[in-house]
Amino acid sequence: MMLKKMCLLVVAIVVCSTTTSFAQVIGDFEGAAGDHDGWVVNNGTGTSTSFDSAIHATLGSQALSLFSNSGVSGAGNNFNWALTLTDDVLKALPEKKLKADVSWTTSEWSPNTGWAQMKEIAVNSDLGWAQTTPIDDTSNPGSPGDWDPNNFGASDTRTVTWDFSGIITDSAGWKASSYNQINIAVNWDGAITAPGSFWVDNIRLVPEPASIALLGMCGMFALVRRRR
Ligand SMILES: [Ca+2]
């Protein structure tokens, strides 16, 4: 009987571990210089350039540094759809949330006032363009994606979370689309007159609460089995 219970426990753990997939990393920036895991850095108003950075890495030893040139600084000139990924892996987006570790360093921004944001994300597909703002931020839950040098110290790294359920309402249409794309914007205060950097690492897709609830049920099931 004991052997049977142990077997059931092992099966439960294996099944639960398999069905509740963990975060799927879609940007760790660990490759060679210029290899950004398929992410494309856009040049436009508020031009951004990029390079692999040894600082602010939260997964592995490199992060992506977005250097945003505010040579055209002035209110309204600093918003840029800086990062784009077009990949079939995004077909899973309706069942997932997107998280990214985002960093700023006060000394990068001059004068040390104003604000910077990694906030808006847009999805694009045959269904069209739709955008949303983050739902959570480990440093600034009251205003996710917003950073400023006065309130967040010399160096700040946080995890920002975006939820696409409100803008991908046609899940079947999204999955059937000929392409699936997300675009991440950076934005900063026109009062900041020198170029500054955004860092991003460990961009990942994480299961929706339904899957997390399943994980909880699996844990409870394992506990019940253990107590019997
Ligand atoms: Ca990394």
Side-chain angles (χ1 to χ4, degrees):
M1 183 60 73
M2 181 60 73
L3 182 62
K4 183 181 176 184
K5 286 182 177 177
M6 287 182 65
C7 287
L8 280 170
L9 178 60
V10 169
V11 168
I13 291 172
V14 169
V15 168
C16 291
S17 299
T18 304
T19 54
T20 53
S21 58
F22 290 39
Q24 182 177 4
V25 177
I26 57 171
D28 64 10
F29 311 108
E30 294 299 301
D35 173 8
H36 296 153
D37 304 332
W39 290 86
V40 175
V41 179
N42 299 313
N43 294 317
T45 302
T47 301
S48 290
T49 57
S50 66
F51 55 91
D52 295 322
S53 168
I55 64 170
H56 294 309
T58 59
L59 179 64
S61 59
Q62 296 181 158
L64 179 69
S65 174
L66 288 167
F67 183 70
S68 293
N69 182 358
S70 56
V72 291
S73 186
N77 284 337
N78 303 314
F79 185 94
N80 180 27
W81 290 107
L83 278 172
T84 297
L85 178 69
T86 307
D87 196 300
D88 283 351
V89 71
L90 298 172
K91 290 189 185 298
L93 216 51
E95 291 82 37
K96 307 273 179 99
K97 288 186 171 63
L98 187 119
K99 290 179 180 282
D101 299 335
V102 180
S103 303
W104 290 271
T105 297
T106 297
S107 59
E108 280 281 315
W109 297 87
S110 179
N112 291 335
T113 185
W115 47 264
Q117 298 175 322
M118 188 170 281
K119 196 172 182 78
E120 281 85 359
I121 285 189
V123 295
N124 199 12
S125 71
D126 292 341
L127 300 173
W129 177 281
Q131 62 194 66
T132 189
T133 54
I135 60 166
D136 195 21
D137 180 327
T138 52
S139 286
N140 192 0
S143 190
D146 290 356
W147 172 88
D148 68 78
N150 292 321
N151 288 314
F152 296 100
S155 180
D156 177 67
T157 296
R158 78 271 298 267
T159 298
V160 182
T161 304
W162 290 267
D163 176 9
F164 298 90
S165 60
I167 57 171
I168 305 178
T169 54
D170 178 0
S171 177
W174 172 262
K175 292 178 191 303
S177 175
S178 61
Y179 72 103
N180 302 86
Q181 181 185 87
I182 55 177
N183 299 270
I184 303 178
V186 296
N187 193 17
W188 65 100
D189 194 336
I192 295 171
T193 55
S197 293
F198 299 79
W199 287 266
V200 62
D201 198 10
N202 194 15
I203 306 176
R204 67 266 194 199
L205 301 172
V206 299
E208 280 285 317
S211 298
I212 294 171
L214 179 60
L215 179 64
M217 288 173 61
C218 288
M220 288 179 64
F221 178 74
L223 195 62
V224 167
R225 296 304 313 180
R226 197 174 294 128
R227 283 180 172 173
R228 278 187 175 178

